């Protein structure tokens, strides 16, 4: 199992529509989003297998959601991992919107472009 030497760094990469978590300067994972008006719709989170078991997904999502909160946007958790995370972290309840069929249709259209 890989052990990070330095604390992981989370950064938003706007042109890729995602937040990345870096370990020793390498991308260890990401959570992808698209923006719709004042909502940031998270649809996929992935951690490289070589970094599994280190708690990186939780750190990544925590910092991404904190960034969304600071920006004044709302969260829409289409991604199953983000939805699971939010069930355990009620501090984001006031800025979380439900996943609706309309959001799913919009996301499918945006991702198919």
């Amino acid at each position: 199992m890989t052990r990070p030497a330095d604390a992981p760094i989370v950064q938003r990469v706007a042109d890729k529509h995602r937040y990345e978590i870096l370990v020793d300067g390498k991308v260890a994972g990401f959570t992808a989003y698209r923006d719709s008006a004042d909502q940031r719709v998270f649809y996929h989170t992935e951690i490289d297998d070589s970094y599994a078991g280190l708690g990186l997904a939780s750190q990544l999502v925590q910092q991404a959601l904190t960034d969304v909160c600071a920006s004044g946007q709302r969260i829409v958790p289409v991604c199953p991992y983000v939805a699971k995370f939010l069930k355990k972290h009620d501090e984001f309840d006031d800025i979380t919107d439900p996943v609706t069929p309309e959001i799913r249709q919009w996301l499918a259209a945006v991702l198919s472009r």
Side-chain angles (χ1 to χ4, degrees), residues 14-88:
D15 61 326
K16 291 184 177 179
H17 306 282
R18 67 189 203 175
Y19 290 85
E20 295 176 343
I21 188 161
L22 306 174
V23 175
D24 298 332
K26 297 178 186 169
V27 176
F30 64 90
T31 187
Y33 67 85
R34 289 300 173 107
D35 289 336
S36 173
D38 70 337
Q39 295 176 315
R40 182 150 289 170
V41 181
F42 287 90
Y43 66 91
H44 182 71
T45 301
E46 186 175 313
I47 298 295
D48 187 278
D49 289 343
S50 62
Y51 296 97
L54 300 176
L56 295 179
S58 179
Q59 290 178 53
L60 169 62
V61 170
Q62 172 79 45
Q63 290 185 43
L65 299 182
T66 299
D67 182 64
V68 173
C69 183
S71 74
Q73 290 180 291
R74 300 188 59 76
I75 299 162
V76 182
V78 174
C79 169
Y81 185 85
V82 174
K84 180 181 170 185
F85 181 92
L86 286 167
K87 286 181 182 177
K88 297 177 183 178

